[in-house]
Amino acid sequence: MQTDNFTAANFDDAMTAMPLLAAAELQDHLMTVTNDLERLQRLLDDAGEALSTHFFSASNQTMALLSNTDGGPAAEGLKQIMQDIAGAVTALQFQDMATQLIAHTSQRLRNCADQLARDTFGMDDEDGAAVVEIAPLRPNPVTQDEMDAGSIELF
């Protein structure tokens, strides 16, 4: 007959391993989210750069056409186009605020993942203590939460 070798020590080891597995899984999820946010930031940066280039090109072409008009109906249409471009550029400025918020959130998540790893797994080794990047001191770098008329101070 086979005896069960399960002892109190085995039970304690099993109970210790479960929080470690949960912490490892949580750290993995935090790092995945951080990587996704960084990828989102790169996409927003690329889109913002392309939009900015096209808006400024359209603005320059519209201004050139406007300077060659005699003030007739075409000039009024070109002035409306310039107002629409200005509105689009203002909206584009929110891309900058979005990337600031993404970078801030990514830094906070990475800090949480690093602290979790250090505290749970004791990531110190022969090279010294584990380095945990300092969390941002400010809770939020962006206070604007909607796009409406008004001044925007970004640069």
Side-chain angles (χ1 to χ4, degrees):
M1 179 171 192
Q2 185 177 4
T3 60
D4 191 355
N5 290 334
F6 194 75
T7 64
N10 294 69
F11 181 75
D12 288 342
D13 289 344
M15 294 308 289
T16 301
M18 285 193 326
L20 288 176
L21 291 174
E25 188 172 326
L26 179 58
Q27 184 198 24
D28 187 49
H29 287 302
L30 288 170
M31 293 307 294
T32 299
V33 170
T34 300
N35 292 334
D36 288 347
L37 284 173
E38 289 169 357
R39 192 168 55 243
L40 176 60
Q41 184 166 356
R42 286 190 302 274
L43 290 170
L44 280 172
D45 287 343
D46 290 345
E49 184 67 33
L51 285 169
S52 179
T53 299
H54 291 294
F55 285 139
F56 287 117
S57 174
S59 176
N60 288 337
Q61 290 176 21
T62 305
M63 289 300 290
L65 290 171
L66 190 57
S67 68
N68 292 329
T69 62
D70 59 0
E76 290 306 312
L78 291 172
K79 288 178 184 177
Q80 181 59 49
I81 290 172
M82 286 302 295
Q83 288 178 347
D84 291 340
I85 291 172
V89 169
T90 299
L92 183 61
Q93 290 173 332
F94 280 82
Q95 175 267 339
D96 179 60
M97 291 190 300
T99 58
Q100 288 179 46
L101 187 56
I102 289 170
H104 175 83
T105 302
S106 181
Q107 188 178 8
R108 290 186 75 81
L109 286 171
R110 188 169 301 277
N111 176 266
C112 289
D114 290 347
Q115 281 185 12
L116 180 64
R118 183 194 63 206
D119 296 346
T120 304
F121 306 114
M123 298 301 282
D124 298 343
D125 58 19
E126 66 273 355
D127 294 332
V131 176
V132 175
E133 202 173 303
I134 296 172
L137 298 176
R138 293 176 42 196
N140 184 352
V142 178
T143 57
Q144 188 82 17
D145 61 0
E146 63 183 46
M147 245 178 25
D148 57 6
S151 64
I152 300 173
E153 255 181 69
L154 295 176
F155 306 105

